[in-house]
Structure formats: structure tokens, C-alpha cells
Amino acid sequence: MTTDEIKPSTGINIESVKEEIEQRLGGTSDLASVTIRIFGETGVFSYLTSMTNTAFLMENVIKPLTHTVDPVDKLQKNQWLDRIREQYLAGLTMETSNDVEHFTDLILKGYAALYLSGMTEVLLIDIKELETRAVTEPTTQSVAIGPKDGFTESAETNISLIRRKIQNPNLRFEKYELGEITMTSIYLSYVDDLVEKDVLNRIRDKIKQHKMDSLFASSNLDTLFQTKELSLFPTVYASERPDNICNGLMDKRVAIIVNGSPFVLMVPSLFNDYFRSPEDVYQWFSFGVFIRYLRYLSFLISLCMPALYISITCYHQELIPTMLLTSIAAQRQGIPFPVVFEVLVLEITFEILREAGTRMPRIIGQSISIAGALVLGQAAVLAGFVSNVSLIVVSLTVISGFVSPIYSFGARIRLFRYGLIILGSILGLFGVFLAVSFLLIHLSRIEPFGIPYLTSSLTKRAKKGERNAA
């Protein structure tokens, strides 16, 4: 075939179509072509054995078609495909196409292409079979109280998990494809009568205008939905938990599902989202509020505690009670390094242990992290390399960083912490307060999709706007 479309005047030449498919797929070893007889004419099925359910194809598609009994003289050729769809393959998802590029793309997605001599269109039957991971408990967001199901790498499974929790006719899913090479399917999910229409339209425009070669994980889309101005805080929320995403959909947000990624994105995300967990509403109200404020306190400890410790011990000793100051001075006797060096060494050591625990096999990773921290910490104190107080401060800081329900947020805090440590060691408390003031001003200026980052929720913001309008 010399063109990308089958000419209606000439119809299908089986060998030409077969050669064209083989040429477009590069003669790949998992391409199969099965020749059969239908209505007394020759037909060919082309499909990828790695993407289709071969047993289902043979038993429920090819076998019924090879037993067709319609006399060829009673059927016009333009009626063949209609008879096949309505009588022999009723109930299956099918479509027709005369565009070679289009039906080759569908073959790559798990369709089987049936073409008959003399026909003007190819019949494409959806019989894909993809091995997917079973629904299990989320690995990065532990659940104490509440549903134990987590998203998987299958977009269809993730859509089902959301649909089960929000059984509402206004729940919508829109399909797009990104990646000129990978052609990865992504889905926008939203509740039609709740979502902010302006936000939804801006997300659609970004997806339609964005060009990229490949898309393998939802994290590849972070830069697409980030604010234009430099943001030190994340404005795209990623979660493995369906209840988390469903709560966002009920709060006028938009979810982005990427086929092949177990993390579903939610935009726009707000500062408060990174301290909120669905478990807060699964338990006693007062305790849920207490835990949420404890997360805010842990955030401040993780961000500021090492810098405050360095600035106070180096520049503002008068703020420390006399007994405590005497104890700290006694512990630092014989320590050859300044406080800032102690803290930085301990911070980097914990980062190495954290990374080693993440990359090592799960069975021994946690044990190595705990044992390494205990052994190295005790050895460093006994060797006079660091003081007990510095070890306690850094340990509490590291533990506080794990309190945030979202890992990506805790990772950014760790980077901010190094900046505060440097400023605290140079300028004392003035440097720490200067950095914190800068972060507060920066937080107040972030507006993902035109919504203030410090807004508690879109629903409350909408209700407040309605009251002001009234």
C-alpha cells in the first residue's frame, strides 16, 4: 500500500495490509497473523501476542467466525462487517477504520485487526489482556484506620476504585494521550457539578498544548501543572490512596490518572493538604484535630530546630537557662568541631541511612536504617566526634520530618532545613527569622491556578465568596 488509507474504490488487498502492519511494527516477534475463511473469502487477524488474550481470541472470536453459515451469494460485501458485529461477535468492543496508522496504533493497545479481501474497512476488536498488580495496601501512605485499598499501575483499576467510592452520575472521566512516542493514556477525573470550571479548562489547555516524547509516571507531569513562578513548595498533590483523591474531588479538585503509575495527581493542591489525612475524620473529632495540629508542630520542629539550636548556642547563650547551659557546655568539652559542623555531619549521615534503607531490599532495609542510626550515633558520641545534645536535636528533627502524610512534602522540608542551618550559623536568630519571614511571604504569594495556596479548602472558599456576594 502506498497511502495511509484504504481506497474505497479498490478495497483491501490482504497481503498489502499485512505487509504495511509488519513494516510499521518493524517485524516485531510478538506480532501474529492468522489466516481464516469467512463467508467463503480469505481473512486475516493481526494482533500482538504480548498484548491480547490469545485464548479468548481463538475460542470466542476466530472459532465462531470460521463456522459462519451465511451463503456468500445472499450477502453483499458491505454487509459482512455488520453481520459479524451483530451476530457473531455481539457484546465485544469494536470499531472500524480505513486509516492504517490508526488501526496500527490500536493493535499496539491490544486490539486484534480483522481484514477481509475486498472490504474497505478493517474491523478492530478489543481483546487486550494486561497483567496488573492486585489492589494492595498503599506502601508510601500507611493506613491505621480506614480503607486499605491503594491505587495500582492500571488506569482502569484506579478508575474503578474511584467510581466505587463516588457512585454519582456527575463523576466524569476524560481520556487524553501524552507522549509522542509512548502514547500514554491519562484521564482527568472530576465531579461535574462541583469542580471549578476555570481550573478544569486551564488543565485541559495545558494537556492539549503540552508536547513530550515519553510519559512513564505521574511525577513526569509535576512541571506541567506547577505554577509559572518559582515555587519552593509542591503545588501538585500525589497520593496512592483512593479516599484521599475522592476527598479532593468532593472539594472541587481535579484528579489526573496516568496509566502505568500507582500515584494519582490532584490539582490544585493547597498547603493544608499536606497536613491532612482521611484518617482524621475516621476517628474521634477532638483527637483528629489534635493530630493535625501535631503535624504542624512537627513541620516547624523539622524545619527550624537545628537552626535555632545552632544560633542560640553560638550567639544567644543568654537565652538558655543556666543549668542547661552548664550541661551543654560540659557535654561539649573535648569536641573538636563547631556546632554547625556537628549538625551538618549528623544530617548528612541520616540522609545516607535513609537513602540506603530505601534502596536496599525491603526485608533488611528497615533493620539497616535502625541499626545504622543506633550504632553510628552511639559510636560518634563515645568517640567525642559529636555531643549528645546535637545527636538528640538532629534525631528529633529527622523523626519530625516523617510526620507529614505526604513524602514529597517532607523531602522539600529537608532542603529548606539546610538553608536555615547555614543562615543560623552566620547571622544567628536574625538569620533564622529572616528565612522564616521569606518563606511566609513566599507562601502567601503562591497561587496554583489562581487559588491562594494558604486557602484551607476550595469548598470553604466558595461558600465565603457566596456570603460576600450576598
Side-chain angles (χ1 to χ4, degrees):
M1 298 181 64
T2 59
T3 64
D4 285 346
E5 291 189 357
I6 300 167
K7 294 180 179 179
S9 59
T10 59
I12 289 176
N13 182 293
I14 290 179
E15 292 302 322
S16 297
V17 174
K18 184 177 177 181
E19 290 176 6
E20 182 74 16
I21 293 174
E22 291 177 350
Q23 181 181 351
R24 287 181 176 273
L25 297 181
T28 179
S29 60
D30 59 340
L31 175 63
S33 296
V34 178
T35 303
I36 63 173
R37 298 284 292 180
I38 305 176
F39 305 137
E41 294 286 338
T42 301
V44 175
F45 269 103
S46 291
Y47 60 95
L48 294 176
T49 57
S50 58
M51 298 292 288
T52 57
N53 187 333
T54 305
F56 182 89
L57 173 67
M58 295 298 178
E59 184 66 25
N60 298 286
V61 179
I62 293 180
K63 186 176 179 180
L65 290 177
T66 54
H67 290 79
T68 54
V69 296
D70 295 274
V72 69
D73 58 350
K74 291 185 178 180
L75 285 174
Q76 298 296 324
K77 284 192 174 183
N78 58 8
Q79 297 176 314
W80 289 1
L81 290 184
D82 292 335
R83 180 59 60 89
I84 290 172
R85 284 185 292 190
E86 295 171 4
Q87 182 171 338
Y88 295 100
L89 302 180
L92 297 180
T93 302
M94 290 173 282
E95 63 178 272
T96 57
S97 175
N98 64 353
D99 186 295
V100 179
E101 183 177 358
H102 175 64
F103 64 69
T104 303
D105 290 340
L106 290 180
I107 290 174
L108 289 170
K109 296 180 183 299
Y111 281 69
L114 169 63
Y115 39 99
L116 298 171
S117 179
M119 297 301 300
T120 59
E121 290 185 312
V122 172
L123 181 64
L124 297 142
I125 309 164
D126 184 4
I127 48 174
K128 59 178 171 284
E129 180 185 51
L130 304 177
E131 295 293 333
T132 58
R133 181 167 57 90
V135 176
T136 57
E137 187 173 341
T139 56
T140 60
Q141 295 175 301
S142 301
V143 181
I145 302 174
K148 304 288 184 181
D149 52 346
F151 289 122
T152 71
E153 287 76 12
S154 170
E156 288 79 7
T157 302
N158 296 341
I159 291 173
S160 173
L161 290 172
I162 295 175
R163 181 72 76 178
R164 292 177 192 177
K165 295 184 183 299
I166 305 179
Q167 298 180 15
N168 189 293
N170 290 313
L171 179 62
R172 304 282 190 265
F173 293 94
E174 296 180 6
K175 184 178 180 180
Y176 298 87
E177 285 188 350
L178 277 181
E180 295 182 1
I181 297 176
T182 59
M183 298 179 67
T184 305
S185 298
I186 71 170
Y187 299 83
L188 293 188
S189 177
Y190 57 91
V191 181
D192 192 43
D193 57 344
L194 295 179
V195 68
E196 294 275 355
K197 300 298 183 183
D198 179 61
V199 173
L200 177 62
N201 291 331
R202 292 172 68 176
I203 292 173
R204 286 171 176 160
D205 292 340
K206 283 179 175 288
I207 292 176
K208 293 175 182 178
Q209 297 170 6
H210 189 65
K211 301 295 182 183
M212 59 194 314
D213 291 333
S214 60
L215 175 61
F216 297 109
S218 57
S219 56
N220 296 142
L221 295 177
D222 281 358
T223 54
L224 175 61
F225 299 114
Q226 290 282 5
T227 54
K228 291 183 178 180
E229 63 274 7
L230 176 63
S231 175
L232 300 179
F233 292 86
T235 55
V236 179
Y237 184 93
S239 178
E240 278 188 291
R241 296 183 57 174
D243 54 348
N244 242 345
I245 297 301
C246 289
N247 281 333
L249 293 176
M250 300 305 295
D251 191 33
K252 303 176 178 293
R253 319 291 181 89
V254 179
I256 297 106
I257 304 168
V258 177
N259 192 35
S261 175
F263 289 90
V264 174
L265 304 181
M266 183 177 70
V267 289
S269 70
L270 306 175
F271 184 73
N272 191 44
D273 295 333
Y274 298 95
F275 300 92
R276 183 187 300 160
S277 173
E279 296 175 62
D280 297 342
V281 299
Y282 297 155
Q283 51 194 341
W284 183 37
F285 172 77
S286 299
F287 184 72
V289 173
F290 168 74
I291 292 297
R292 187 175 300 176
Y293 282 109
L294 185 63
R295 294 192 192 109
Y296 283 106
L297 177 61
S298 299
F299 163 70
L300 294 175
I301 291 174
S302 178
L303 180 65
C304 301
M305 190 170 186
L308 290 174
Y309 167 66
I310 292 170
S311 59
I312 290 175
T313 54
C314 292
Y315 297 100
H316 309 281
Q317 294 91 345
E318 67 278 5
L319 298 177
I320 307 174
T322 304
M323 294 295 293
L324 179 58
L325 180 62
T326 303
S327 176
I328 293 174
Q331 292 179 40
R332 288 197 49 78
Q333 288 292 328
I335 303 297
F337 305 110
V339 178
V340 62
F341 183 81
E342 287 183 70
V343 172
L344 286 175
V345 166
L346 287 172
E347 285 278 0
I348 293 172
T349 302
F350 275 109
E351 289 290 344
I352 293 172
L353 288 172
R354 182 189 290 111
E355 188 66 17
T358 303
R359 305 303 169 194
M360 293 184 70
R362 187 175 300 178
I363 299 176
I364 61 175
Q366 188 174 6
S367 301
I368 291 294
S369 298
I370 296 173
L374 291 174
V375 172
L376 285 177
Q378 185 178 10
V381 172
L382 292 176
F385 195 73
V386 297
S387 65
N388 285 319
V389 178
S390 297
L391 182 61
I392 292 171
V393 169
V394 175
S395 299
L396 180 58
T397 300
V398 171
I399 293 171
S400 299
F402 289 114
V403 174
S404 174
I406 305 300
Y407 174 79
S408 61
F409 188 79
R412 298 207 181 195
I413 294 174
R414 301 206 301 268
L415 294 179
F416 301 158
R417 191 160 63 229
Y418 288 108
L420 264 68
I421 288 173
I422 300 300
L423 283 174
S425 65
I426 297 173
L427 301 176
L429 285 178
F430 175 73
V432 177
F433 292 148
L434 186 67
V436 172
S437 300
F438 168 76
L439 288 177
L440 289 174
I441 294 172
H442 178 68
L443 279 170
S444 66
R445 291 174 60 86
I446 301 175
E447 292 188 353
F449 294 95
I451 298 170
Y453 194 55
L454 295 178
T455 302
S456 59
S457 75
L458 297 191
T459 302
K460 292 181 179 179
R461 177 174 176 267
K463 289 180 179 178
K464 184 178 180 180
E466 291 173 359
R467 288 197 299 268
N468 293 337

